[in-house]
Amino acid sequence: MKHGWVGGLVTTATVTHATPAGFLAQSDKRDDEEGIATQYLERAIQVYLGGGYRFFDPALRSDKKDLLSGFREKGYAVLRSRDELLSQKSDKPLFGTFSESHIPYTVDHLNDPALLRSIPTLAEMTTAALTRLEHTGQGFLLQVEGAKIDHAAHVNDAPGLVRDQIAFDDAIGVALRFQAEHPDTLVVVTTDHGNSNPGLFGQGDGYGDSDKLFSKVGRMSRSYSAISGDWYADMTIGELTSLIHDGTGIELSASEAGLVLDAIRSHGPNPYTYQNAAIPTLASILANHTAVSWGGTSHTGDYVTLTAQGPGASSLPSLLINTDLNAFYRKCMARA
Ligand SMILES: [Zn+2]
């Protein structure tokens, strides 16, 4: 990092996951999150906020190394809960991990009072990061990742995806308000790839039902992934129907629920190999009720959003190969 600049990483994945680690660590293996965690203690940037305390906690690490004490000794506020984050002053660098692995989906977070108390939102983590970074009085690079959007898309989880997109949008709002007060800040919003191509499809006469069907996603109280944590191969069609109804508000017919049950028992009916799993099968069936359907369960080659506000934004080309973004960041930092 440019001399005199400080840094921060905020994510809803494990803080050692690929996207944050790509900004700070060097490793042959993206899955070596314990090794990446050790590098984080050595790099000692100003802010680490996200999930993944199992890679730092001596009781959970395979080598029993106590990285949490290491951060404390370096003067960090070591945080484990939303309350601790919100009451934290800006006088210390921040190390906060709020779940053992990835942070739960926003839709599950919003509907669980215990999770609401224990885990901050992405916008709250972004606010805390900016407050600390501003306090240092130095130039800074902060990366904020709405990681669960990708996770939701991989399993075709519509309520997971939509609520985490909104949570990411809230975090963009925090960044843009900071930018308005600090016009020398450049905010870039982008992603590294598309995923699974969700779409709102025309349904009903003259496609007139789509909006009404899509609004059902907004009323769902659980991610499909959380629902899948409670289903099992031996359950009856009736038990499965009520489990899905409790989480989504949608009553499947016996034949629809039977297809999901087949997929849970590993005889998935989906002819596209990549969607031949239980949650994407549930998503395919729920597409009849929500008008939200998907193209697959993997990353895609689509053009993606790239937008910016602040100094340098006007020099950002409208089309850019993703790896060239690194050169753009370097140019902006050199000018700052
Ligand atoms: Zn992915």
Side-chain angles (χ1 to χ4, degrees), residues 97-112:
T97 44
F98 305 101
S99 57
E100 187 174 327
S101 181
H102 303 309
I103 283 177
Y105 287 109
T106 297
V107 65
D108 300 320
H109 183 209
L110 290 174
N111 289 287
D112 183 330

Side-chain angles (χ1 to χ4, degrees), residues 47-66:
V47 176
Y48 302 91
L49 296 173
Y53 63 70
R54 67 189 164 121
F55 302 117
F56 299 88
D57 189 323
L60 300 168
R61 275 180 66 97
S62 56
D63 60 7
K64 307 291 172 209
K65 249 192 223 166
D66 186 357

Side-chain angles (χ1 to χ4, degrees), residues 150 154 193 195 299:
D150 177 70
H154 276 301
H193 52 73
N195 192 338
H299 296 174

Side-chain angles (χ1 to χ4, degrees), residues 4-10 44-49 71 74-79 84-96 123-142 174 178 182:
W5 283 52
V6 292
L9 295 172
V10 173
I45 62 168
Q46 286 291 319
V47 176
Y48 302 91
L49 296 173
F71 277 104
K74 289 197 171 193
Y76 282 75
V78 175
L79 314 166
E84 288 173 353
L85 180 72
L86 297 187
S87 59
Q88 183 56 39
K89 307 264 189 308
S90 56
D91 57 340
K92 286 181 176 175
L94 303 176
F95 178 85
E124 288 169 342
M125 291 195 285
T126 305
T127 300
L130 286 169
T131 304
R132 170 60 195 165
L133 291 167
E134 185 187 13
H135 184 87
T136 66
Q138 291 166 272
F140 67 82
L141 178 68
L142 170 65
V174 170
F178 184 91
H182 305 80

Side-chain angles (χ1 to χ4, degrees), residues 17 30 147 149-151 153-154 192-195 297-299:
H17 208 240
R30 63 175 284 173
I149 296 165
D150 177 70
H151 299 183
H154 276 301
D192 46 353
H193 52 73
N195 192 338
T297 55
S298 50
H299 296 174

